[in-house]
Amino acid sequence: MARALLLSSLLATTASFQWLVVGGGPQGVHVAGRLLREVDGLALDDVCIVDDEDALLRKWKTRAENTGMRYLRSPASLHLGDGERELLRHAEAHAPRIDKREPPFAPDYARPRLDVFNDHCDFLVDAHGLAAAHRRGEVVAVADAGDAYAVTVRRAGGDETLRAANVVLAVGGGAPAYPAWARGSAAVSHVFDDGFALGGGRVAVVGGGLSAAHLALRLGGRVDVVCRHGLREQQFDTHQDWMATAAARRLMGKGPTDRQVSFAGIADVAERRRVVRRERRSGTVPAAASRGRRGLKYAIASGDVRWHEADVAALRDAGRRRRPRADDGRRRSGTRVVLATGFGAGPPARPLVDAAARGLGAALAPCGYPVPGLAGSAGTTAGRARSPPGARGARARAVRAEPRRRAPRVGRIVAARGGVVTGGSPVFNINC
């Protein structure tokens, strides 16, 4: 039966590609651009980007704008192009179309303004013609079909199967995280939800990281923030050693950092995952968002933002006002509850990862990620990143490739926000 289903699927194939990228966010756009720049003889028709949005980078832009973010947390050296100064040069070259009411780069670490960063992203998409490579749909399965991969794509008009010599899973952060008490409640929304809108009235924001900080500052005067901990300040959400790209190291005349060398030498997948979790600094806010008269500390001190250090235990509907009940027994009122709780734990696009692992014979580690190097002859690689440092800076080694008939070499791709790099296995290379 399985053989008959596979044959039927292959007969419905509509197109073949050398490289198929799953995901049209920052990771997918960066990988596709690098493939076209660095793989000899690769043409635009050889590349396909499958994403279920109506345009590349749509979800990234929408989610960033939802928070009220003005400047990125990451420095100007981390972007979707090549070279440390490309984003700075782009802003100079296209200065007439860039709004000058605020500096295009923040004084600390030259952090780019969101619209400047996005303008550069759009420039790269246009320069490589990537919109023409975009195929709208959702990849639901990847199977080894002998001389290629059979990639099943769910589209509005029905499923289709594409053939690809190489597949890259660049699926980003995954689905927004909803705690148990918030699931199924129409009174609760997530800042990363599709169609999110703030509306009027008082808002209770749940979360204590950068997204919550941006939201609180955006809503100043009508917001309560409920967080498990106090305001925690850290410049980046990981140590800067993980963000040291090859280009940056060349400029400084240095090799890989001690953290990068140490991680590359860890073979045990459980230990690699422990390092990833330990090195991430989630739930933190950079100084630019916490200090000064426009910062969160001042907003809390002045009463514009009310910060409650507690965990939410339940949600009580009191007429038109929803009251999150914290574990200290007190209730915080708000006409709306907005989650700024990031993304769910485990691999993003978990059903796809599981289906691809089954289709390719890849072993899964206890954390849910496929084990690098154990997938037979598969030429699939995968990476996970939730921010531009993951999209380029930490994954700057993606992509070297040869024709499939000679066993593709896939370069190193980051598998966690903050710059942890996998090995260079030519198989299902998702870090654990």
Side-chain angles (χ1 to χ4, degrees):
M1 177 63 73
R3 190 180 297 273
L5 287 175
L6 177 60
L7 177 61
S8 172
S9 180
L10 290 176
L11 290 174
T13 297
T14 59
S16 297
F17 302 94
Q18 281 296 311
W19 285 88
L20 188 146
V21 180
V22 183
Q27 299 87 353
V29 168
H30 172 66
V31 168
R34 288 203 67 173
L35 284 167
L36 290 168
R37 291 192 298 271
E38 298 181 17
V39 178
D40 292 340
L42 192 69
L44 182 61
D45 290 344
D46 297 325
V47 178
C48 178
I49 305 172
V50 180
D51 187 270
D52 60 359
E53 297 292 327
D54 62 353
L56 297 177
L57 298 166
R58 175 76 73 206
K59 196 174 289 285
W60 150 258
K61 291 179 179 178
T62 300
R63 287 174 169 176
E65 290 168 2
N66 284 352
T67 67
M69 178 194 305
R70 292 167 44 246
Y71 289 87
L72 270 66
R73 187 175 198 168
S74 53
S77 59
L78 300 181
H79 49 78
L80 305 193
D82 283 329
E84 292 296 291
R85 296 185 57 81
E86 182 177 320
L87 180 53
L88 294 169
R89 289 195 295 266
H90 173 84
E92 293 172 0
H94 299 276
R97 73 181 190 210
I98 292 176
D99 190 340
K100 301 298 191 303
R101 285 175 291 182
E102 284 189 300
F105 298 93
D108 58 323
Y109 296 93
R111 295 178 299 106
R113 211 171 62 205
L114 177 61
D115 64 306
V116 174
F117 179 86
N118 285 342
D119 186 80
H120 179 239
C121 293
D122 293 339
F123 172 81
L124 293 172
V125 169
D126 293 341
H128 294 299
L130 295 181
H134 177 206
R135 202 177 196 93
R136 190 172 187 182
E138 177 188 9
V139 173
V140 295
V142 180
D144 196 334
D147 63 340
Y149 297 106
V151 181
T152 305
V153 181
R154 185 149 295 158
R155 307 187 71 187
D159 290 3
E160 68 173 349
T161 299
L162 307 178
R163 289 173 65 83
N166 304 280
V167 177
V168 179
L169 304 185
V171 288
Y178 269 77
W181 59 264
R183 294 172 194 156
S185 172
V188 181
S189 60
H190 199 290
V191 67
F192 294 153
D193 282 342
D194 295 335
F196 172 80
L198 274 177
R202 192 162 189 86
V203 176
V205 174
V206 179
L210 186 55
S211 296
H214 284 312
L215 265 179
L217 292 172
R218 179 181 176 186
L219 291 164
R222 59 187 184 99
V223 61
D224 291 85
V225 178
V226 183
C227 179
R228 296 171 181 162
H229 51 77
L231 184 61
R232 300 193 300 205
E233 185 180 298
Q234 176 151 326
Q235 185 61 44
F236 301 113
D237 56 5
T238 189
H239 193 280
Q240 289 167 256
D241 280 1
W242 296 115
M243 302 167 68
T245 66
R249 296 198 305 268
R250 282 195 298 270
L251 284 176
M252 296 183 291
K254 297 182 178 180
T257 66
D258 290 345
R259 280 179 168 83
Q260 291 171 335
V261 171
S262 174
F263 187 83
I266 300 174
D268 181 69
V269 293
E271 178 60 21
R272 291 170 75 90
R273 178 51 50 188
R274 281 193 290 270
V275 172
V276 170
R277 288 174 178 152
R278 184 184 71 231
E279 292 293 320
R280 284 194 56 207
R281 301 290 187 265
S282 58
T284 59
V285 176
S290 65
R291 301 182 189 179
R293 292 185 65 85
R294 299 180 70 175
L296 195 52
K297 288 181 179 178
Y298 183 86
I300 294 171
S302 66
D304 282 347
V305 173
R306 300 194 302 211
W307 188 282
H308 310 275
E309 189 173 334
D311 198 2
V312 176
L315 184 70
R316 176 173 177 264
D317 193 337
R320 296 182 60 187
R321 301 181 70 81
R322 275 77 186 184
R323 295 182 175 181
R325 180 168 59 81
D327 55 7
D328 60 4
R330 299 173 61 192
R331 293 182 173 86
R332 280 80 187 178
S333 296
T335 56
R336 291 194 56 194
V337 178
V338 176
L339 302 177
T341 47
F343 299 97
R350 182 64 182 266
L352 172 58
V353 171
D354 288 348
R358 290 193 300 270
L360 300 173
L364 290 176
C367 60
Y369 285 87
V371 178
L374 299 181
S377 62
T380 305
T381 183
R384 174 185 187 177
R386 296 174 177 170
S387 59
R392 174 187 174 263
R395 292 192 305 108
R397 296 158 186 81
V399 181
R400 297 187 303 275
E402 292 181 355
R404 181 183 169 87
R405 63 178 179 274
R406 290 196 290 163
R409 289 200 314 261
V410 179
R412 299 172 180 175
I413 294 182
V414 129
R417 180 173 59 184
V420 181
V421 181
T422 70
S425 165
V427 296
F428 204 135
N429 190 1
I430 190 165
N431 175 272
C432 188

